Amino acid sequence: MKRAFEFLIERAIFLSGIASIIFVVLIFFFLLKEGLALFQTESLTGFLFGKNWYPISDPPRFGILPLFLGSLLVTLGAIVIAVPLGLASAIYVAEVAPPKLRDILKSGIELLAAFPSIVLGFIGIVTLAPFLKSVFHLSSGLTALAGSIMLAFMAMPTIVSIIEDAIVSVPKNYREGSLALGATHWQTIYRVVLPAASSGILAAVMLGIGRVIGETMAVLMITGNAAVLPTSILQPVRTLTATIAAEMGEAVSGSEHYYALFAIGIVLFIISFVINLLADLFLHRKAAR
Amino acid sequence: MIIKTNKLNLWYGAFQALIDVDLAIERNRITALIGPSGCGKSTLLRVFNRMNDLIEGVRMSGSVNFEGKEILDHEIDLITLRKRIGMVFQRPNPFPLSVFENVVYGLRVHGEKNKQVLAEAAEKSLSAVLLFDELKDKLSMNALGLSLEQQQRLCIARLLSVTPEVLLMDEPCSALDPFATMKIEELMIELKKQYTIVIVTHNMQQAARISDDCGYLLLGELVEFADTKKIFTTPADKRTEDYITGRFG
Ligand SMILES: Nc1ncnc2c1ncn2[C@@H]1O[C@H](COP(=O)(O)OP(=O)(O)OP(=O)(O)O)[C@@H](O)[C@H]1O
Ligand SMILES: [Mg+2]
């Protein structure tokens, strides 16, 4: 009786263990099957490098270059904003802030991570977009820059907490060695602590990018949603993720448009996969030390 | 005499770790501090370059005179003090940088930018610790790839490049094997011609081998401080005798 019970438990655990793997594999194949179907009618280069995304015109055009560049622009903008800011606040939290303030700041950062991105996007539309519009004298504030700023906010918690961890785990004896040579606290930070934490910092940046690239709702709301080749960060753009979210509802199942959206999904999957792989490499290099 | 303490007391919060310590460290000699674990050796050593400042809740009283300057003075310039009184730690702690960057680290933080000067200082300091020939073709390799003995030598070289007067060494050989220990001891004897060395050691044979003066600490008190020969042959205090004959600790 007892034996049978244990047998059942073991099986149940085993099944739930492999279930996640099975699901991932199924999703992956589904994505591949639906996405690759596009290439029966559309060429790969036309898809990747085509300058026009007109999915419902006649004939339809499925060039994702504008979307890809839109994603790239918004992401790069977000990284340019989030990394220096995140690095600075991680240094402040880890090295400078008095212990009590440190705890408050850390919970504040966690709280920021807890905001649903749709809420941030919504706040962005009503505050950030009008602000950008008046500062830069634009016809609309819904631009790539607005998306970058929103995404920077979303990436910050990840970036700050991973960098902070990396800084705190730098061995104490490096600091002591540096201070004992007459270096100041600040010199110690940037000459020894940051280089020692560098792989953690790179991993933080990678994971921050991962978070930003996969983000959909906020950018859908705030980037202005124009699938044109971007020339400036003050222009409306459309990202890969936002395109899927915006068009999936209207694409007829089994149509070319539908397949094209899945093909975009494959592109996103590859990008995220590579970024996660890189982040993992950096983190492991650190662990190996 | 280069460093002299007078009624030095130190508390970690409510715990008193040093009690009325009076000692005088002579120039160009090796002074050893011995005593059982937790008696305050490291604490005393870290008073001299004010490393205890990093620990919260440390209070000190009394005086520590270094070449006419009061070390315990709140106004003292810690950067200059730590340049003049350098420290080698128990575990070799080269920075995760290249060998060269490790050696010139002190010079860099004190503002030296001239490549020529840096290169010469690196060669001179590495030669002083007998590491230059070994490493002259590997100056750009990461210092963490060196053997422990090489790392400890490198840490000493890193110190010498800022031309200190006093070298504080907290159990510098405890992470090393006997052979490497012997090499470092030879190096210390060589270095004392130019520098004043204060070494904390758990190893009584080591103290007897290399030191000129020796102090025995017990529960925060400096029980006895004298010429090393005297401490190891005719100690004045019964407690010292118990310790060095192995009846204690
Ligand atoms: N940061 C600290 N806070 C509180 N007490 C401390 C602190 N550092 C050391 N102590 C206490 O002060 C006493 C002296 O410590 P110290 O490290 O100077 O001893 P030590 O002689 O160097 O010992 P060891 O031989 O083990 O290195 C010990 O009782 C220790 O517990
Ligand atoms: Mg100690």
Side-chain angles (χ1 to χ4, degrees):
Chain A
M1 181 63 211
K2 209 171 165 194
R3 289 275 285 284
F5 181 69
E6 288 209 1
F7 178 81
L8 279 179
I9 293 268
E10 260 176 37
R11 282 300 122 131
I13 291 175
F14 173 73
L15 282 180
S16 34
I18 60 164
S20 56
I21 300 173
I22 291 175
F23 284 135
V24 168
V25 171
L26 286 179
I27 291 173
F28 179 69
F29 278 111
F30 185 72
L31 186 64
L32 273 190
K33 178 176 148 284
E34 302 289 68
L36 294 181
L38 175 71
F39 299 108
Q40 287 163 1
T41 49
E42 172 78 41
S43 75
L44 183 62
T45 46
F47 173 68
L48 289 178
F49 302 111
K51 294 199 181 84
N52 298 302
W53 177 262
Y54 302 138
I56 41 180
S57 69
D58 196 18
R61 312 277 290 273
F62 297 109
I64 61 163
L65 194 62
L67 312 177
F68 183 79
L69 290 180
S71 275
L72 194 70
L73 190 63
V74 173
T75 306
L76 280 183
I79 292 306
V80 165
I81 299 167
V83 169
L85 223 62
L87 188 61
S89 47
I91 291 174
Y92 182 76
V93 171
E95 289 278 339
V96 187
K100 270 202 188 119
L101 184 58
R102 175 174 314 160
D103 292 342
I104 296 175
L105 287 173
K106 282 177 82 166
S107 11
I109 291 163
E110 272 158 33
L111 204 63
L112 185 58
F115 271 110
S117 65
I118 193 104
V119 174
L120 282 180
F122 183 58
I123 295 175
I125 286 187
V126 294
T127 59
L128 182 63
F131 174 74
L132 291 178
K133 181 178 166 180
S134 69
V135 169
F136 293 104
H137 307 290
L138 303 169
S139 54
S140 162
L142 299 175
T143 54
L145 180 62
S148 297
I149 295 175
M150 286 326 298
L151 288 183
F153 267 103
M154 291 174 205
M156 282 280 277
T158 312
I159 294 182
V160 174
S161 51
I162 295 178
I163 295 183
E164 202 248 351
D165 268 359
I167 291 179
V168 169
S169 60
V170 170
K172 187 173 114 225
N173 60 11
Y174 289 164
R175 285 166 223 274
E176 289 195 328
S178 171
L179 293 171
L181 282 165
T184 62
H185 186 186
W186 172 238
Q187 285 172 326
T188 302
I189 291 174
Y190 84 84
R191 285 183 184 273
V192 175
V193 175
L194 292 185
S198 61
S199 53
I201 294 173
L202 279 172
V205 172
M206 287 301 172
L207 291 174
I209 296 178
R211 169 95 215 259
V212 161
I213 271 197
E215 183 48 58
T216 312
M217 289 326 283
V219 290
L220 177 66
M221 294 162 78
I222 206 173
T223 55
N225 251 329
V228 290
L229 277 180
T231 52
S232 138
I233 196 155
L234 293 175
Q235 240 186 349
V237 295
R238 160 86 80 79
T239 63
L240 293 166
T241 48
T243 305
I244 300 181
E247 296 175 9
M248 206 38 139
E250 65 206 41
V252 181
S253 175
S255 69
E256 225 185 339
H257 185 191
Y258 170 91
Y259 293 138
L261 294 181
F262 271 100
I264 294 182
I266 297 178
V267 171
L268 278 170
F269 171 79
I270 293 172
I271 296 175
S272 309
F273 182 75
V274 168
I275 289 172
N276 278 324
L277 201 69
L278 287 177
D280 229 41
L281 278 180
F282 288 126
L283 276 178
H284 272 109
R285 209 180 63 191
K286 182 179 156 209
R289 246 190 211 151
Chain B
M1 150 179 80
I2 185 163
I3 296 178
K4 185 166 169 30
T5 75
N6 193 351
K7 294 235 169 306
L8 171 65
N9 290 281
L10 183 146
W11 293 264
Y12 291 113
F15 174 75
Q16 183 162 14
L18 294 175
I19 306 164
D20 283 339
V21 172
D22 289 322
L23 103 169
I25 291 162
E26 300 288 341
R27 201 179 276 284
N28 295 101
R29 284 165 81 86
I30 297 180
T31 302
L33 299 172
I34 59 171
S37 196
C39 66
K41 306 179 294 291
S42 299
T43 302
L44 177 56
L45 200 67
R46 291 163 64 98
V47 166
F48 301 141
N49 65 348
R50 290 271 300 266
M51 282 305 270
N52 290 320
D53 286 26
L54 301 180
I55 300 165
E56 218 158 305
V58 169
R59 277 181 306 126
M60 290 181 271
S61 75
S63 92
V64 181
N65 192 290
F66 169 54
E67 302 259 278
K69 277 225 170 75
E70 177 54 52
I71 288 181
L72 300 192
D73 191 341
H74 282 295
E75 306 286 291
I76 193 170
D77 176 12
L78 286 182
I79 293 175
T80 316
L81 176 72
R82 288 174 182 166
K83 218 169 128 181
R84 296 178 67 189
I85 305 185
M87 181 166 237
V88 177
F89 296 82
Q90 181 166 358
R91 277 212 66 81
N93 59 347
F95 306 129
L97 307 171
S98 70
V99 170
F100 181 80
E101 284 305 321
N102 265 280
V103 187
V104 301
Y105 184 87
L107 290 173
R108 279 208 199 278
V109 300
H110 295 120
E112 182 61 61
K113 291 203 173 72
N114 187 316
K115 287 216 171 84
Q116 183 82 24
V117 175
L118 292 175
E120 277 166 16
E123 173 167 359
K124 197 167 154 223
S125 316
L126 284 173
S127 304
V129 298
L130 309 177
L131 214 49
F132 186 71
D133 289 329
E134 258 166 85
L135 294 185
K136 63 173 176 249
D137 302 320
K138 299 185 193 159
L139 292 181
S140 57
M141 84 177 255
N142 193 310
L144 299 184
L146 300 175
S147 74
L148 277 181
E149 183 206 337
Q150 287 175 322
Q151 290 189 8
Q152 196 61 302
R153 280 177 191 271
L154 181 65
C155 290
I156 299 174
R158 178 171 82 184
L159 206 58
L160 300 185
S161 72
V162 297
T163 58
E165 292 151 63
V166 181
L167 310 181
L168 306 173
M169 301 188 168
D170 195 348
E171 304 189 35
C173 301
S174 65
L176 306 181
D177 63 46
F179 186 72
T181 298
M182 193 182 84
K183 299 296 232 182
I184 298 281
E185 286 178 7
E186 283 168 8
L187 175 63
M188 283 193 260
I189 291 173
E190 188 60 33
L191 288 173
K192 83 174 178 185
K193 291 179 193 150
Q194 277 190 62
Y195 305 91
T196 304
I197 298 178
V198 187
I199 176 176
V200 164
T201 175
H202 252 130
N203 177 333
M204 270 184 287
Q205 286 78 32
Q206 182 172 57
R209 274 194 303 266
I210 61 169
S211 70
D212 303 295
D213 297 311
C214 186
Y216 172 57
L217 276 159
L218 183 62
L219 297 173
E221 250 182 285
L222 187 63
V223 171
E224 188 167 353
F225 185 78
D227 198 275
T228 300
K229 273 209 200 73
K230 178 162 182 308
I231 292 263
F232 280 92
T233 52
T234 52
D237 197 293
K238 177 79 171 55
R239 290 169 293 174
T240 315
E241 190 182 336
D242 286 349
Y243 184 67
I244 58 159
T245 52
R247 255 171 285 170
F248 175 93

